[in-house]
Amino acid sequence: MRIATAEEMRQLDAAAIEGRKIPSAQLMERAAEGILSACLALLEQPHGKRAVVLSAPGNNGGDGVAAARLLMEQGIQVRAFLVGRREKMTEDCKEMERRLEGCGGVLEQFHPASESQKAVIQEADLVVDALFGIGLNAPVRGDAAEAIHYINSSPAVVVSADIPSGVQADTGRVLGCAVRADRTVTFTCPKVGHYVGEGGLATGTLTVHSIGIPADLMEEWTESITAVDAAWVRAHLPSRPVDGHKGTFGKCYLLAGSVGYTGAPVLAANAAVRSGTGLVFLGVPETVYPIVAGKTLEAMPHPLSAAPDGTLAELALDQIMQKAVSCDAILLGPGMGRSAAVEQLIPVLMERLEKPLVLDADGINALSKHMDVLQRRRAPLVLTPHDGEFARLGGDLTGGDRVGAAKSFAQRYGCVLVLKGHRTVTACPDGRVYVNTTGNSGLAKGGSGDTLAGLLTGLLAQGMEPGEAAAAAVWIHGRAGDLCAERLSVRGMAPSDLTETFCRVFLELE
């Protein structure tokens, strides 16, 4: 699903209103219908329930005022408040107030010092947040900040119009304070702020509601940010010919493991097998080979020269090259350790291996000391850092813009960057960005990254384009995590459970 920036939505609305002559009040009414549907879904018996609508003077507030009227028509007791100065009301917002008055409603002025108004919000069954829309770019202050505080302290269910007030649409940053919604109804397209950063936590359940803007207007967009969902993954997974053989589905090579880290290569290899790739080769230091070989059935491990500390020795280079050059995709890093030999091997392999390459965990740590190799590498490269590893690579998240930071890094270094975290962001060197929509805190356990890296490498070996393989792997990994959580709980699920669950995800996608 396409994600829109605030500027794109502004241009889209203008094109619909000015170019296609669609009345702006008509778009506002349709937005209100979406808010109404979300409210009714949260109220089991709407008739007689108490609702509060808090609207600012702008057009987002107009959506709320229109929703207040529709809620009244459903038999809901509604108190509507204007948060801000009445003289700043837009013409459409004024029109919605006239329509509200026409059916007996009143748009009252909000007074944060009023104990009676505070009590009304506290006693409501439903609160509609229609304060700020997607154009917010300054910290929330004054009466609006007080209104947000009242909303968040109310036991009522909360529905936000377009985006939770206080969330910056293009980054997910909270500007001062923000509404914590149970459900957010956004219009035409989702926004970055619904998924990433604190905005992703404030949004609650997201509903995308069409307000009637012609779909062909979106074709003129130059940005390309996609919210990855099941339909997108289904459309991009490689086909499996009925007469295919092992070679048809690719070969991948994984270089992983060291003394003390024998689980990482096993998890990565098992995930690669479950990805559907034809053959999985696994190179590990000879010191841990017996352990790894005893835990892998479908993958084919082989021993490599090891240093006294149980990590790979530099002598392993030729052995690695002999195995890796015949494979279609390669993974370097999980559990390899941070020895001097590993730090020397990784940049050499990055330069010599001319196949799609995934760098994870200790592979990323080694790269951080040899960033110049990125300028010399020509074959596709996928990096999978979490925030700490991203910082070691020179990435900057201090501005709170995860999408912008990932995109800038990917374009600067000509790689695919998978910035892991809540709603993982995948950025491509050509400017495409994918935002994940699956996953939960049960994935925040050692070993989860190894399963993701193995799955991703397996999809690359099957011929997927690197950016699409990364985005698909992240979604599948997260969806498996969601299914595991349903069965085992987020607390009790383990990374090894994910690999088995990949099968269920693939069945859903058929």
Side-chain angles (χ1 to χ4, degrees), residues 111-474:
H111 298 290
S114 170
E115 290 297 322
S116 62
Q117 289 187 359
K118 181 178 180 181
V120 167
I121 297 172
Q122 288 293 315
E123 295 167 3
D125 300 296
L126 166 75
V127 174
V128 174
D129 155 39
L131 296 172
F132 300 110
I134 61 175
L136 182 69
N137 280 304
V140 178
R141 297 188 178 93
D143 290 358
E146 288 295 321
I148 289 174
H149 173 70
Y150 289 169
I151 293 171
N152 288 340
S153 62
S154 172
V157 292
V158 178
V159 174
S160 286
D162 215 0
I163 197 163
S165 292
V167 172
Q168 190 176 46
D170 290 344
T171 66
R173 292 173 57 213
V174 167
L175 300 177
C177 59
V179 170
R180 296 190 300 270
D182 295 288
R183 182 166 297 191
T184 297
V185 182
T186 196
F187 310 121
T188 308
C189 295
K191 320 305 183 291
V192 169
H194 292 133
Y195 301 107
V196 304
E198 294 177 88
L201 303 176
T203 294
T205 301
L206 179 65
T207 300
V208 181
H209 179 73
S210 173
I211 60 174
I213 293 179
D216 64 287
L217 291 177
M218 301 180 197
E219 297 175 1
E220 301 175 7
W221 290 356
T222 57
E223 293 290 327
S224 182
I225 308 176
T226 301
V228 179
D229 55 17
W232 185 93
V233 176
R234 186 179 295 112
H236 288 84
L237 281 178
S239 61
R240 292 188 69 83
V242 294
D243 60 346
H245 52 80
K246 288 179 290 188
T248 305
F249 304 117
K251 297 182 290 184
C252 62
Y253 182 76
L254 317 181
L255 189 63
S258 61
V259 169
Y261 297 96
T262 56
V266 174
L267 289 168
N270 289 344
V273 168
R274 290 291 188 185
S275 75
T277 193
L279 293 168
V280 178
F281 299 98
L282 174 59
V284 297
E286 58 190 2
T287 46
V288 299
Y289 171 74
I291 300 171
V292 174
K295 293 182 178 180
T296 51
L297 297 177
E298 293 90 354
M300 292 167 282
H302 65 97
L304 298 167
S305 297
D309 63 359
T311 62
L312 286 176
E314 291 186 55
L315 290 174
L317 177 61
D318 289 341
Q319 298 168 301
I320 295 167
M321 291 298 298
Q322 289 174 11
K323 286 284 188 179
V325 293
S326 63
C327 292
D328 302 294
I330 299 157
L331 168 64
L332 305 179
M336 287 181 67
R338 303 181 69 172
S339 69
V342 169
E343 291 178 0
Q344 292 299 317
L345 277 171
I346 293 298
V348 173
L349 289 169
M350 289 181 65
E351 287 197 62
R352 292 193 184 183
L353 293 169
E354 298 179 351
K355 301 292 179 65
L357 179 64
V358 178
L359 214 61
D360 182 61
D362 290 322
I364 292 173
N365 291 326
L367 170 64
S368 66
K369 300 181 179 181
H370 301 275
M371 294 295 288
D372 56 302
V373 75
L374 292 176
Q375 306 295 343
R376 299 192 295 274
R377 181 170 171 81
R378 296 292 176 261
L381 174 66
V382 182
L383 306 179
T384 60
H386 54 59
D387 286 7
E389 292 166 339
F390 185 55
R392 286 196 285 276
L393 293 174
D396 184 9
L397 294 173
T398 56
D401 183 0
R402 294 179 66 81
V403 167
K407 181 178 177 180
S408 176
F409 187 98
Q411 291 182 313
R412 177 182 178 184
Y413 290 109
C415 65
V416 173
L417 183 83
V418 179
L419 183 56
K420 296 186 291 193
H422 179 68
R423 300 298 179 244
T424 292
V425 174
T426 299
C428 304
D430 60 6
R432 287 174 296 146
V433 176
Y434 300 99
V435 178
N436 191 42
T437 59
T438 57
N440 56 73
S441 64
L443 296 172
K445 297 175 181 176
S448 289
D450 303 319
T451 63
L452 173 61
L455 173 65
L456 168 53
T457 309
L459 294 179
L460 275 176
Q462 294 172 67
M464 289 190 73
E465 184 273 330
E468 294 173 353
V474 169

Side-chain angles (χ1 to χ4, degrees), residues 43-113:
L43 297 175
E44 294 181 4
Q45 298 292 333
H47 189 81
K49 292 290 178 69
R50 295 164 297 183
V52 172
V53 179
L54 292 158
S55 298
N59 283 342
N60 190 256
D63 296 340
V65 177
R69 185 188 80 251
L70 298 182
L71 288 166
M72 288 178 61
E73 293 173 354
Q74 295 293 319
I76 297 173
Q77 300 174 28
V78 179
R79 294 282 296 274
F81 295 100
L82 177 67
V83 183
R85 296 164 59 183
R86 190 169 292 275
E87 60 266 28
K88 289 190 173 183
M89 291 176 68
T90 64
E91 289 304 314
D92 284 338
C93 192
K94 291 177 182 177
E95 173 60 25
M96 293 306 145
E97 182 183 19
R98 287 190 287 269
R99 296 182 188 185
L100 175 65
E101 292 172 342
C103 68
V106 178
L107 182 60
E108 308 172 51
Q109 187 65 42
F110 175 71
H111 298 290

